[in-house]
């Protein structure tokens, strides 16, 4: 039945061509249902399914008929290229109107956006042919929207408007990105130190161009194997991410960047160093980076890092200079500049501040649930580095909410208030000789943000939250003995006094079932302190009640 229909279509085309003297206009209609990855019609170099593919064209592409070769294929011309297309996917304008309506957007093909981020140029010419020396029909800039008609090797055949006039021509394919919520992805592997390979071609035997780091942003591009592989561009480097690794990609959509709890690692240049557009190739465009310049490491490639200069702040993806720097020219950054605000958000549990980004590191102190502190670095580990005055430490990323925009939602939980028993001086560290800051009058209320041994970290302000844009924090350390504070802020962590203390499901020896044992020396987080029973959470995440008399609190 299908062959008969195709034969009838071919006969009708032949009859039409006989009347019109060929040169009839037809339109590609792929009849796709997937709006994310639309189908493309192949143009082949021979009128058969075994013919080589010359280009791929979206629904709405307009072609000129040169002849009907056989029952299945029509010879066509589009954009100066000649080849063969399957006749069943070519329709007349009248058929298009009948099928899609007058305003159905049929001729729009696929919307794309010009984006030259990281490509070392500010404009791109629309060329008459796929030859860099051909006539320029106009000039396009980042942000221009165009209609993507087809893909020919590394070129895009597009329709663009210039002063109200539409023109058809070619631009390099990697200068176009997808649009809106499909445009930006963030590398976000399940493990903080995982890497995602960027391949030179859409197969897992191709050259690995770079190993992408968690937190690296990339633009979604157009390619041959949409749906099986994801073609992306990181700065100015284009490649493919294998389909088995696409779970490492988080589609940012319209969400703020900070919803992904990873940012690229910051490093600093040791001295003047070159930033190459092409790795180690000084014959291509390059620039000099000065000493002590901060960069974000987006990926590694051999002995080189692919970096972004810090224009636009941490995690930005559409500004700054992108390029290769020898890893030997970089050192870990040491800066107090904030990347945003971390809010302790692990239910009713405190956040443990550690001296190093590892679970068995020395505990510096504990922050109350809902407390906010400034982030100074997002490492390539499961921890974020934060600053409390002169004190820095590490919090688990899974236990915090990252705030980097003024209007980002915060946790409903806020720190409790305490009262100054006498006139206080906020200090930059939990020691008497530390630098002095704001003065707090006796009787004033402060927010309890955390406990550090015999000291409390507090905020002396009308609001419990910090100014994400970098305003005055009015925070500092005071002695606990100088405060009248609630028990829930005094007892944030605990240790068992003896080994194998019963952990019960309820705060009762009669009705509470034994659900585990607390071992001597285990660090426990306190969810609810009581004079008889205390609710704790063990290092393996088990929650229950322990008799308070068997605990010591720190």
């Amino acid at each position: 039945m299908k062959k008969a229909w195709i034969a009838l279509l071919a006969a009708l085309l032949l009859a039409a061509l006989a009347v019109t003297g060929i040169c009839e206009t037809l339109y590609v209609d792929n009849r796709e249902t997937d709006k994310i990855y639309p189908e493309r019609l192949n143009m082949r170099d021979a009128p058969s399914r075994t013919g080589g593919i010359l280009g791929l064209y979206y629904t709405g592409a307009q072609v000129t008929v040169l002849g009907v070769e056989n029952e299945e294929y029509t010879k066509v011309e589009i954009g100066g290229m000649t080849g063969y297309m399957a006749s069943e996917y070519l329709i007349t304008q009248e058929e298009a109107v009948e099928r899609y309506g007058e305003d159905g957007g049929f001729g729009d093909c696929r919307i794309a956006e010009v984006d030259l981020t990281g490509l070392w140029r500010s404009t791109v010419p629309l060329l008459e042919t796929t030859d860099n020396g051909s006539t320029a029909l106009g000039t396009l800039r980042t942000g221009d929207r165009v209609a993507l008609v087809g893909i020919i090797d590394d070129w895009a055949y597009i329709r663009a408007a210039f002063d109200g006039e539409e023109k058809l021509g070619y631009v390099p394919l990697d200068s176009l990105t997808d649009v809106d919520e499909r445009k930006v992805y963030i590398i976000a592997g399940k493990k903080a130190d995982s890497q995602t390979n960027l391949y030179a071609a859409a197969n897992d035997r191709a050259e690995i161009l770079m190993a992408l780091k968690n937190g690296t942003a990339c633009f979604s591009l157009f390619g041959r194997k949409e749906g099986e592989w994801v073609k992306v561009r990181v700065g100015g480097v284009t490649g493919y991410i294998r389909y088995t690794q696409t779970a490492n990609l988080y589609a940012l959509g319209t969400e703020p960047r900070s919803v992904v709890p990873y940012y690229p690692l910051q490093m600093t240049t040791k001295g003047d160093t070159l930033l190459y557009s092409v790795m180690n190739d000084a014959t291509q465009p390059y620039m000099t980076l000065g000493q002590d310049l901060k960069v974000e490491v987006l990926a590694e490639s051999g002995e080189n890092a692919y970096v972004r200069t810090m224009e636009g702040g941490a995690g930005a993806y559409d500004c700054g200079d992108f390029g290769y720097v020898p890893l030997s020219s970089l050192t870990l950054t040491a800066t107090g500049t904030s990347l945003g605000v971390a809010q302790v958000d692990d239910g009713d549990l405190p956040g443990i501040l550690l001296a190093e980004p590892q679970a068995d590191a020395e505990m510096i102190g504990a922050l109350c649930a809902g407390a906010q502190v400034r982030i100074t670095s997002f490492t390539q580990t499961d921890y974020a580095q934060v600053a409390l005055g002169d004190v820095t430490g590490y919090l688990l990323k899974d236990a915090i909410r990252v705030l980097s925009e003024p209007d980002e939602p915060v946790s409903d939980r806020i720190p409790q208030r305490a009262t100054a028993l006498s006139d206080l001086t906020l200090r930059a560290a939990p020691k008497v000789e530390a630098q002095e800051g704001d003065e707090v009058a006796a009787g004033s209320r402060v927010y309890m943000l955390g406990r550090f041994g015999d000291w409390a970290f507090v905020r002396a302000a009308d609001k419990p939250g910090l100014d994400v844009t970098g305003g005055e924090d009015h925070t500092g350390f005071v002695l606990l003995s100088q405060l009248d504070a609630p028990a829930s802020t005094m007892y944030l962590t605990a240790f068992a006094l003896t080994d194998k203390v019963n952990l019960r499901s309820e705060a009762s020896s009669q009705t509470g079932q034994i659900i585990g044992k607390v071992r001597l020396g285990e660090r426990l987080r306190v969810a609810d302190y009581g004079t008889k029973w205390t609710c704790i959470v063990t290092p393996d995440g088990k929650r229950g009640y322990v008799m308070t008399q068997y605990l010591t609190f720190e």
Side-chain angles (χ1 to χ4, degrees):
M1 187 68 182
K2 181 177 179 181
K3 288 186 177 181
W5 182 87
I6 294 174
L8 177 61
L9 176 62
L12 291 173
L13 279 174
L14 284 170
L17 294 175
V19 174
T20 62
I22 310 184
C23 295
E24 182 188 9
T25 296
L26 294 177
Y27 297 85
V28 173
D29 182 13
N30 293 307
R31 303 163 204 166
E32 67 267 3
T33 58
D34 187 344
K35 300 304 181 183
I36 302 299
Y37 297 117
E39 297 293 332
R40 285 78 51 86
L41 179 62
N42 294 328
M43 174 191 278
R44 298 186 181 275
D45 61 7
S48 73
R49 294 184 180 182
T50 59
I53 297 175
L54 301 175
L56 309 123
Y57 295 87
Y58 289 95
T59 291
Q62 180 178 324
V63 303
T64 299
V65 177
L66 301 180
V68 177
E69 291 298 312
N70 52 43
E71 293 182 350
E72 295 185 5
Y73 282 86
T74 300
K75 188 176 183 180
V76 300
E77 185 273 332
I78 177 172
M81 295 192 62
T82 300
Y84 301 88
M85 290 183 175
S87 302
E88 61 179 307
Y89 294 108
L90 298 175
I91 62 175
T92 64
Q93 185 175 19
E94 291 74 20
E95 289 175 295
V97 170
E98 182 179 351
R99 184 170 297 169
Y100 298 101
E102 289 280 2
D103 300 316
F106 173 76
D108 294 340
C109 298
R110 187 168 184 185
I111 303 302
E113 181 177 321
V114 177
D115 196 314
L116 306 177
T117 299
L119 292 175
W120 294 71
R121 58 178 184 265
S122 58
T123 63
V124 61
L126 179 69
L127 299 177
E128 191 172 40
T129 68
T130 57
D131 181 348
N132 285 316
S134 65
T135 302
L137 306 175
T139 300
L140 295 165
R141 291 173 173 79
T142 293
D144 289 343
R145 292 287 179 101
V146 300
L148 177 57
V149 180
I151 296 173
I152 300 89
D153 295 325
D154 294 328
W155 292 86
Y157 183 56
I158 65 171
R159 183 173 64 250
F162 297 95
D163 298 325
E165 180 185 358
E166 290 193 334
K167 296 182 180 179
L168 288 157
Y170 294 90
V171 295
L173 187 56
D174 63 0
S175 64
L176 298 182
T177 69
D178 215 325
V179 297
D180 301 328
E181 68 273 9
R182 297 195 299 270
K183 178 174 179 176
V184 180
Y185 290 96
I186 308 294
I187 303 295
K190 293 181 179 179
K191 293 183 179 180
D193 58 352
S194 64
Q195 298 186 126
T196 300
N197 290 331
L198 188 71
Y199 291 86
N203 70 76
D204 55 12
R205 295 180 299 278
E207 176 191 0
I208 297 176
L209 298 175
M210 299 190 304
L212 304 179
K213 301 287 191 179
N214 273 339
T216 296
C218 49
F219 294 145
S220 176
L221 303 184
F222 306 96
R224 284 287 303 273
K225 293 189 176 181
E226 296 173 9
E228 295 180 22
W229 287 72
V230 176
K231 186 179 183 183
V232 301
R233 197 180 80 229
V234 180
V237 181
T238 297
Y240 294 82
I241 293 178
R242 190 172 56 186
Y243 68 92
T244 54
Q245 287 194 309
T246 54
N248 292 352
L249 282 174
Y250 183 91
L252 193 59
T254 58
E255 297 178 291
R257 167 67 180 82
S258 59
V259 299
V260 184
Y262 293 112
Y263 283 72
L265 180 66
Q266 287 185 32
M267 299 189 80
T268 304
T269 54
K270 295 178 182 178
D272 290 352
T273 186
L274 295 182
L275 181 75
Y276 296 95
S277 61
V278 177
M279 191 162 49
N280 296 324
D281 189 350
T283 65
Q284 302 297 320
Y286 66 90
M287 63 186 296
T288 300
L289 302 182
Q291 183 176 354
D292 296 329
L293 183 71
K294 288 193 300 178
V295 297
E296 285 184 333
V297 177
L298 308 180
E300 290 183 15
S301 181
E303 300 301 315
N304 290 269
Y306 191 71
V307 305
R308 180 188 77 88
T309 59
M310 290 288 288
E311 183 180 340
Y317 48 78
D318 57 357
C319 54
D321 294 303
F322 295 76
Y324 294 94
V325 172
L327 278 167
S328 58
S329 298
L330 300 176
T331 183
L332 283 173
T333 185
T335 173
T337 303
S338 174
L339 307 182
V341 172
Q343 182 183 30
V344 177
D345 187 14
D346 194 10
D348 55 1
L349 297 177
I352 306 300
L353 192 69
L354 300 173
E356 300 293 338
Q358 52 196 43
D360 58 353
E362 176 190 357
M363 185 179 74
I364 298 174
L367 294 169
C368 300
Q372 295 183 19
V373 292
R374 295 210 174 270
I375 302 171
T376 53
S377 178
F378 256 73
T379 66
Q380 294 297 312
T381 70
D382 292 325
Y383 294 83
Q385 186 189 63
V386 299
L388 295 71
D390 290 344
V391 176
T392 58
Y394 296 86
L395 290 170
L396 267 174
K397 291 176 180 175
D398 288 343
I400 63 174
R401 182 188 297 259
V402 179
L403 310 175
S404 59
E405 298 292 340
D407 57 352
E408 287 194 62
V410 299
S411 167
D412 292 334
R413 187 176 297 277
I414 62 173
Q416 295 193 32
R417 302 297 291 269
T419 304
L421 296 174
S422 59
D423 292 345
L424 304 178
T425 300
L426 301 185
R427 300 184 182 276
K431 51 188 177 182
V432 175
E433 62 272 20
Q435 181 180 349
E436 297 181 353
D438 294 343
E439 299 290 334
V440 179
S444 298
R445 305 290 296 278
V446 297
Y447 285 96
M448 284 285 295
L449 302 185
R451 179 177 175 179
F452 296 77
D454 294 330
W455 294 76
F457 185 65
V458 301
R459 174 167 163 80
D462 295 332
K463 297 180 180 179
L466 302 184
D467 182 356
V468 174
T469 61
E472 293 293 330
D473 289 345
H474 304 292
T475 56
F477 294 89
V478 297
L479 284 165
L480 274 170
S481 59
Q482 296 176 302
L483 297 174
D484 179 14
S488 60
T489 61
M490 299 285 285
Y491 304 105
L492 299 176
T493 58
F495 292 87
L497 288 170
T498 61
D499 197 22
K500 297 183 180 179
V501 178
N502 288 335
L503 182 68
R504 295 184 180 272
S505 60
E506 298 178 23
S508 170
S509 299
Q510 285 73 40
T511 60
Q513 296 181 348
I514 297 175
I515 57 175
K517 300 286 186 180
V518 175
R519 305 304 302 266
L520 181 66
E522 280 189 328
R523 181 192 295 150
L524 310 170
R525 288 197 288 168
V526 177
D528 187 18
Y529 170 80
T531 56
K532 187 174 182 181
W533 291 90
T534 294
C535 181
I536 59 94
V537 175
T538 63
D540 60 359
K542 187 173 291 185
R543 177 189 289 258
Y545 292 84
V546 172
M547 293 190 74
T548 304
Q549 68 186 62
Y550 295 117
L551 298 175
T552 180
F553 297 91
E554 293 189 4

